[in-house]
Amino acid sequence: MTEIQSGGSVAAGDDLRPTVERHTQDIAELRQDVGDIKRSQNALRDEVIGMRAEGKQWRASSDQQAETLRTSIASLTREIAVRNGVDQERNRQSQERTQALKRLSIWVGIMTGILGLIGTTLFSSQTFDTAFWGHFRTHPKIEAQINATPNH
């Protein structure tokens, strides 16, 4: 073996033990380095697996929160629609009552006007007045000139 091949001094012809021993030590160090690298790779792999699991968990949690939010929004939308529907129905009923009261007040006004006309026509008549009110005497000595009978 040459000096370049052994990485140092050339051993004596028959004595290769120090070279083998050095190579054995180098191989042991290489094995230790490879073991360290494997352990480091395993640790990295475990860390990546953990990060993936955390990412999946975060994504599932995020999806669940988004679904909860969508459900809440949909529920709120339905509640607002129902409340608007109730308000619209209440407004419609109020308008119907207002219209009914308007119709009733118009009808009462017309009837009052008609009865007033009939009453003024009947009660202003001299014949009716004499026929109806003439039988009632408020005071025996005081008599209206209209209802008075001649004293002959």
Side-chain angles (χ1 to χ4, degrees):
M1 188 179 279
T2 65
E3 189 173 331
I4 296 173
Q5 291 174 338
S6 67
S9 61
V10 179
D14 290 335
D15 195 16
L16 293 177
R17 282 185 212 150
T19 306
V20 171
E21 206 172 291
R22 208 173 50 238
H23 287 308
T24 304
Q25 188 178 4
D26 289 342
I27 291 172
E29 288 175 5
L30 287 174
R31 283 185 180 166
Q32 185 177 0
D33 289 344
V34 168
D36 289 345
I37 290 171
K38 283 184 179 181
R39 281 189 293 279
S40 176
Q41 284 178 340
N42 287 339
L44 284 174
R45 186 189 70 227
D46 292 344
E47 192 172 326
V48 168
I49 289 171
M51 288 173 64
R52 283 182 180 173
E54 287 175 5
K56 286 180 182 179
Q57 182 63 32
W58 179 83
R59 187 177 204 166
S61 175
S62 176
D63 289 347
Q64 184 179 14
Q65 288 174 350
E67 183 60 32
T68 302
L69 183 61
R70 279 191 292 270
T71 303
S72 296
I73 289 172
S75 174
L76 183 60
T77 302
R78 280 191 301 273
E79 186 176 326
I80 288 171
V82 166
R83 183 164 289 172
N84 285 343
V86 167
D87 289 345
Q88 288 174 351
E89 180 63 20
R90 191 176 300 135
N91 289 341
R92 186 189 63 76
Q93 289 175 354
S94 175
Q95 288 173 353
E96 284 179 359
R97 281 191 297 260
T98 303
Q99 291 297 324
L101 285 173
K102 283 180 182 178
R103 282 188 227 111
L104 180 63
S105 64
I106 289 171
W107 186 81
V108 167
I110 290 171
M111 292 306 292
T112 304
I114 291 172
L115 290 175
L117 287 173
I118 292 172
T120 55
T121 303
L122 287 178
F123 292 126
S124 69
S125 165
Q126 184 67 35
T127 309
F128 180 80
D129 189 33
T130 304
F132 185 74
W133 298 113
H135 298 292
F136 298 104
R137 304 223 179 222
T138 55
H139 195 276
K141 296 189 179 193
I142 301 175
E143 195 172 295
Q145 290 297 323
I146 299 171
N147 294 331
T149 56
N151 269 342
H152 295 234

